[in-house]
Amino acid sequence: MAARDSWFVDVFHDGPFSGNPLAVVVADEGLDTATMQRMTRWFNLSETAFLLPPTDPGADYRVRIFTLERELPFAGHPTLGACHAWLAAGGTPRDPGCIVQQCDAGLIPIRRDGDRLAFAAPPMIRSGPVDPAHAAAIARVLHLDAGAIRAMEYMDNGPGWIGVLLDTADAVLRVVPMRHHPGRVEIGLIAPQPAGRDTAWEIRTFFSDAQHSVIEDPVTGSFNASAAQWLRATGRVEGGYVAAQGTKLGRQGRIFVDYDADGQAWIGGRCTTMVAGRLLPHA
């Protein structure tokens, strides 16, 4: 394999080493899917993004996003981290006001917003109430009584998220889910923060890996994107807000949500390069 430029990027952070780390690797058509998956497992981060030349004439670059288990059509912190790395590598967008990323979910507009990048939340591919049997299973995974759950909805924009609304941020932080579950788990918890805080909502997300372990993600752009759409559609928010995530893990993730005049949600965060270098060639 040829030498390749690569970065470790801290995404959605609020200070050094406080967000969600992402590995980004410059790729080409010679780097096959199996190798990308193997590299992702070696990095052992929640996701790795591979930068490629676009195949859509409307895109500035293309990205493939892998978890330790599988490839995703879209994910939030890899979208911002990949864009940050592409710009750091000298990428110049066709439109200075809007960078366009190509991924398996389609074309994702990204804008620069001061010291932050923000992506346009893609439409959900599944929404609506969770059926009662599935909802009961989710409550069991979370070790929650059904009466503690104020709402539960499909909020799937690619990874498969189910959103669970609780009464308070403290209730979200008290949740101790199952450590293992035989089925696939992609759950996001949402609750309002008390008045006067610098953040309006507390977020936690859990997903299962190939060994069926239930893992908490430090900061999750994809879930925050679907949650932002759901909160607005249900009248729980009117304007932009800042959400906190990663609190229980000792992180200080900050997700900046804004809505434009058409109601489009933009999901923003700070990105910083923590490590930049080259993956050396090997047999």
Side-chain angles (χ1 to χ4, degrees):
M1 186 178 76
R4 299 178 184 278
D5 290 337
S6 60
W7 300 263
F8 277 11
V9 182
D10 197 10
V11 184
F12 290 119
H13 71 80
D14 192 34
F17 305 104
S18 66
N20 199 353
L22 175 75
V24 185
V25 178
V26 172
D28 54 46
E29 298 304 333
L31 197 62
D32 61 29
T33 298
T35 302
M36 291 182 189
Q37 186 68 77
R38 188 166 63 251
M39 292 170 68
T40 299
R41 289 176 180 144
W42 185 83
F43 285 128
N44 202 33
L45 300 175
S46 60
E47 284 131 345
T48 294
F50 295 87
L51 292 174
L52 291 151
T55 58
D56 188 306
D60 292 305
Y61 65 91
R62 181 161 63 102
V63 66
R64 294 182 67 181
I65 300 165
F66 288 79
T67 71
L68 298 177
E69 180 188 5
R70 61 190 170 120
E71 185 171 5
L72 295 178
F74 168 77
H77 101 277
T79 290
L80 294 191
C83 181
H84 171 85
W86 182 76
L87 292 169
T92 303
R94 294 174 174 84
D95 178 353
C98 182
I99 304 150
V100 180
Q101 171 184 284
Q102 179 187 355
C103 59
D104 283 352
L107 300 182
I108 308 295
I110 303 168
R111 67 187 187 188
R112 292 184 245 208
D113 185 10
D115 64 344
R116 305 190 296 266
L117 294 170
F119 66 84
M124 285 188 271
I125 60 178
R126 186 178 187 183
S127 58
V130 178
D131 66 84
H134 197 180
I138 294 297
R140 287 194 295 272
V141 170
L142 296 172
H143 292 142
L144 286 174
D145 293 331
I149 297 172
R150 294 292 163 256
M152 187 185 298
E153 299 264 343
Y154 291 106
M155 300 184 192
D156 182 10
N157 53 16
W161 296 112
I162 291 175
V164 178
L165 178 70
L166 302 184
D167 277 331
T168 66
D170 284 345
V172 163
L173 295 174
R174 286 196 302 268
V175 168
V176 181
M178 291 181 178
R179 296 186 64 183
H180 295 86
H181 188 265
R184 186 176 293 281
V185 170
E186 287 108 353
I187 303 170
L189 298 177
I190 317 167
Q193 293 276 13
R197 298 286 296 272
D198 63 343
T199 54
W201 297 87
E202 186 74 42
I203 305 289
R204 291 177 74 188
T205 55
F206 303 97
F207 64 91
S208 55
D209 65 11
Q211 287 73 46
H212 307 294
S213 297
V214 177
I215 298 168
E216 182 167 0
D217 197 32
V219 197
T220 313
S222 59
F223 179 72
N224 275 278
S226 54
Q229 294 172 80
W230 180 77
L231 289 169
R232 172 88 172 228
T234 57
R236 290 178 168 88
V237 300
E238 295 182 0
Y241 62 86
V242 182
Q245 191 176 351
T247 308
K248 194 72 173 180
L249 298 176
R251 308 289 178 91
Q252 199 165 318
R254 293 293 182 267
I255 305 93
F256 296 81
V257 175
D258 290 299
Y259 302 93
D260 63 22
D262 297 324
Q264 170 66 57
W266 291 83
I267 312 303
R270 299 183 181 93
C271 301
T272 297
T273 300
M274 309 305 285
V275 179
R278 306 204 78 194
L279 288 173
L280 298 179
H282 57 82

